[in-house]
Amino acid sequence: MTKTKILIVEDDPHILLGLQEVLKSDGFEVSVCNRGDEALEALQKQRPALVVLDVMLPGASGYDVCKQIRSKKITTPILMLTAKGQEIDKVVGLDLGADDYVTKPFGVRELLARIHALLRRTAAAKTAPASDGQNAFQIGSASIDPKTFQLRRGKSTEDLTAKELKLLQLFHAHPGEVLSRDRLLNDVWGYNYYGTTRTLDQVIVQLRKKLGDNGDEPKHLLTVHGVGYKLSI
């Protein structure tokens, strides 16, 4: 049986070796790249099922690599590795199209859980009916087109990540209903989330910006403290 291939983009030889051993022992085929400016070429050549992408790389940062990949309309899931703890660094990666992130140092169980979750979600998306959830819809003054992964508001157009689109579709399907963080994580991330809810909260922050709803008092995506979020109608 063909093994699932993962591309690791990491320049630290010790971390790279550790990642290779962990992934191979879990049954994956592993390809490696140690420069950011060679990552896109490696991705196009190797065609992995998932990319583990470090932020700090020679040649080009992980952020630049992520932006390049998504600008080519390549939807391969990206799990970013960062040694930084600042929230803004994680937000930048998610906003550029990363699907998830792990902060160094990380545990092997957490890393593998996130990788398997991303792969399951990708597989589920490929087997879903092509017509499912493909109709354009409106939230406030923004028009969202699932076919192009774009949000249009006035004269501006914003690209959406897969998770951002799925969240907007979920909110639109349940207007006025309070959706718990667990419900959102399970439905969008596709598993019982391994870790904190900060990833979800950061994606919501980015969605508010794209909706033009990022003031002190959002009008559309409202926080329900201690529970989750709801789409105000």
Side-chain angles (χ1 to χ4, degrees):
M1 187 173 63
T2 303
K3 292 183 177 181
T4 300
K5 183 185 291 185
I6 292 180
L7 172 64
I8 305 172
V9 186
E10 169 65 67
D11 67 315
D12 185 311
H14 300 293
I15 295 176
L16 180 58
L17 179 60
L19 287 171
Q20 284 181 277
E21 291 179 348
V22 166
L23 294 176
K24 286 181 179 179
S25 67
D26 204 50
F28 293 107
E29 178 182 347
V30 179
S31 297
V32 301
C33 175
N34 55 19
R35 291 187 60 87
D37 52 0
E38 297 174 357
L40 179 60
E41 181 180 354
L43 172 61
Q44 294 173 323
K45 180 180 180 180
Q46 297 296 332
R47 297 183 178 278
L50 181 142
V51 180
V52 177
L53 176 64
D54 191 23
V55 170
M56 305 301 291
L57 294 165
S61 74
Y63 299 136
D64 292 332
V65 173
C66 189
K67 187 175 181 180
Q68 289 174 356
I69 292 172
R70 295 306 185 227
S71 71
K72 297 290 185 181
K73 304 301 181 184
I74 299 172
T75 59
T76 304
I78 298 172
L79 176 68
M80 298 200 80
L81 302 179
T82 174
K84 301 178 180 180
Q86 293 91 341
E87 181 175 309
I88 186 63
D89 296 309
K90 299 166 185 175
V91 169
V92 168
L94 294 168
D95 196 32
L96 290 175
D99 295 274
D100 205 349
Y101 64 85
V102 175
T103 303
K104 300 175 185 175
F106 49 82
V108 170
R109 287 182 58 216
E110 178 183 6
L111 177 70
L112 291 176
R114 290 176 185 271
I115 287 174
H116 282 290
L118 287 177
L119 291 173
R120 284 197 301 272
R121 184 172 59 81
T122 302
K126 288 181 179 178
T127 58
S131 60
D132 183 36
Q134 293 300 299
N135 294 327
F137 58 94
Q138 199 85 13
I139 292 180
S141 61
S143 176
I144 296 97
D145 187 349
K147 294 180 180 178
T148 62
F149 281 76
Q150 289 183 326
L151 180 154
R152 294 182 176 85
R153 182 170 54 85
K155 295 182 179 180
S156 67
T157 299
E158 299 274 4
D159 290 328
L160 296 169
T161 68
K163 281 190 175 63
E164 288 173 341
L165 175 60
K166 183 65 176 177
L167 278 170
L168 290 177
Q169 289 175 317
L170 189 57
F171 282 121
H172 184 258
H174 301 276
E177 182 180 341
V178 178
L179 302 178
S180 70
R181 284 181 169 82
D182 286 343
R183 163 80 182 277
L184 294 169
L185 287 166
N186 289 341
D187 286 5
V188 176
W189 273 253
Y191 63 107
N192 291 318
Y193 192 64
Y194 192 98
T196 72
T197 62
R198 292 304 297 160
T199 298
L200 168 64
D201 296 336
Q202 289 161 5
V203 175
I204 292 291
V205 169
Q206 298 310 301
L207 279 177
R208 284 173 174 162
K209 291 179 181 177
K210 294 181 179 182
L211 289 167
D213 197 29
N214 60 325
D216 293 334
E217 296 183 3
K219 297 179 180 178
H220 303 303
L221 296 183
L222 307 183
T223 300
V224 180
H225 294 290
V227 183
Y229 298 94
K230 72 174 181 178
L231 174 64
S232 175
I233 54 175

